[in-house]
Amino acid sequence: FIMLHAAVWSAGTFIYVPENVKVRMPLQAYFRMNAEMGGQFEHTLIVADKNSEVQYVEGCSSPLYNSSSSLHAGCVEIFVHEGARVRYSSVENWSKNTYNLNTKRAIVEKNGIVEWINGNNGSCCTMLYPCSVLIGEGARSDSLGIAFAGPGQNQDTGSKVIHAAPNTTSTIKAKSISKGGGISSYRGSVQVSKNATNTKCSVVCDALLIDDKSVSNTFPFMKIDTNKVDIAHEASVGKIGEEQIFYLMSRGLTEEQAMQMVVSGFIEPIVKQLPLEYAVELNKLIELEMEGTVG
């Protein structure tokens, strides 16, 4: 799919931030796939020069065509130079007939910081694993993601980090919600090279199952080639407790409203990192997916 993208991509976003320039307002782009049986292959390229800062937000959507499938195979490249900081946020709401197969990668130099924030909703199948390659000493990567899998959906998401320099740090926080037989999977990779001493990495996966038909999977992979590291992996899966629902209903909410509120609290760490209009949008999308859960 990377080669297909390289062969046919024709548009996208290019951002260059000069040295010492700090862009305070988030830059935004919106990609919509309108054609039936179409393919979208946009390319995003962000270059943050030394000691610069930028925030970039992408929104993606497509209409539903009942008798055909569509393909989204975009690519994102981020270059974080020494001391720079880039926050890349993406809210995706593809129709249920779309295959969403993305490639996203960042190269981070000395003391640079890259932040990935992803909200994945819609599509019949999503495969998305933003990758950070930490090639400079003191580089950092933070990844925060939420995936919602409804009936007939397979959300296969996660994150990759390659620690190729000493004193580098990474965090991965992945949350998923499965409903109506949907399948959500965390698939991640952490690699630490021989010279990447004093590496620190924390991976946390939390899954919420709405019913007995849904599935949650976790596929972590860690390859550690040096001794002086601090690596942690934690995974949990659970259901909405009856006591929580009872308490909220005793305060005047319906059962469906109570479940929506619990789910909203579950995804709050991701939502609060997004700009306000995107946070409202993601919350609303999750609420719409939760409608009809009861009865």
Side-chain angles (χ1 to χ4, degrees):
F1 289 101
I2 294 174
M3 294 301 101
L4 173 63
H5 171 93
V8 302
W9 77 274
S10 60
T13 304
F14 171 64
I15 300 171
Y16 171 70
V17 187
E19 184 175 341
N20 297 320
V21 173
K22 300 186 188 311
V23 184
R24 299 302 182 189
M25 293 290 290
L27 307 178
Q28 302 182 49
Y30 171 63
F31 297 105
R32 180 176 172 86
M33 185 161 47
N34 282 323
E36 186 174 2
M37 297 182 67
Q40 188 174 67
F41 307 91
E42 86 282 354
H43 197 98
T44 300
L45 175 59
I46 302 174
V47 181
D49 215 330
K50 188 175 180 180
N51 297 321
S52 65
E53 289 186 14
V54 65
Q55 297 183 53
Y56 175 73
V57 187
E58 274 186 358
C60 306
S61 67
S62 61
L64 176 63
Y65 297 101
N66 293 325
S67 60
S68 59
S69 297
S70 300
L71 170 66
H72 175 254
C75 278
V76 176
E77 292 181 83
I78 303 176
F79 294 87
V80 184
H81 290 282
E82 182 179 345
R85 182 170 189 159
V86 176
R87 172 176 286 192
Y88 172 94
S89 304
S90 176
V91 177
E92 302 185 8
N93 182 35
W94 301 109
S95 61
K96 302 297 191 296
N97 62 330
T98 299
Y99 288 86
N100 179 31
L101 310 169
N102 267 339
T103 302
K104 301 180 179 182
R105 187 171 295 122
I107 295 177
V108 189
E109 296 182 357
K110 182 178 179 180
N111 295 325
I113 300 174
V114 65
E115 299 170 285
W116 301 97
I117 301 171
N118 296 289
N120 295 291
N121 192 54
S123 84
C124 59
C125 177
T126 288
M127 300 181 74
L128 175 61
Y129 325 100
C131 176
S132 301
V133 185
L134 307 179
I135 64 171
E137 184 173 359
R140 180 183 178 93
S141 170
D142 294 321
S143 179
L144 197 58
I146 177 72
F148 188 100
Q153 290 181 278
N154 188 339
Q155 295 279 2
D156 199 313
T157 61
S159 190
K160 300 178 182 179
V161 184
I162 300 173
H163 292 264
N167 302 307
T168 50
T169 306
S170 66
T171 62
I172 299 173
K173 294 182 181 180
K175 289 179 175 285
S176 66
I177 303 168
S178 302
K179 171 197 168 188
I183 302 171
S184 63
S185 302
Y186 166 80
R187 193 182 304 274
S189 174
V190 176
Q191 300 180 46
V192 181
S193 65
K194 291 181 179 179
N195 65 329
T197 54
N198 298 318
T199 287
K200 294 182 180 179
C201 175
S202 172
V203 181
V204 180
C205 311
D206 296 324
L208 186 63
L209 296 174
I210 304 300
D211 50 48
D212 295 333
K213 299 184 296 181
S214 302
V215 177
S216 173
N217 301 309
T218 304
F219 304 105
F221 173 79
M222 294 183 174
K223 186 174 186 294
I224 316 300
D225 289 332
T226 188
N227 292 323
K228 297 180 180 179
V229 296
D230 185 357
I231 309 290
H233 173 82
E234 175 186 341
S236 64
V237 60
K239 295 183 178 181
I240 297 177
E242 294 181 2
E243 297 84 359
Q244 293 173 298
I245 300 300
F246 177 80
Y247 176 81
L248 292 171
M249 290 178 67
S250 70
R251 296 299 185 268
L253 297 178
T254 65
E255 186 175 357
E256 187 167 291
Q257 288 172 334
M259 293 187 73
Q260 288 177 346
M261 180 170 287
V262 173
V263 170
S264 294
F266 179 73
I267 67 173
E268 183 188 10
I270 288 89
V271 171
K272 70 181 183 181
Q273 296 296 329
L274 293 167
L276 178 60
E277 62 271 28
Y278 285 88
V280 172
E281 181 75 11
L282 182 59
N283 255 327
K284 188 61 179 177
L285 289 173
I286 298 297
E287 285 180 13
L288 290 172
E289 292 286 0
M290 289 297 295
E291 285 184 359
T293 299
V294 179

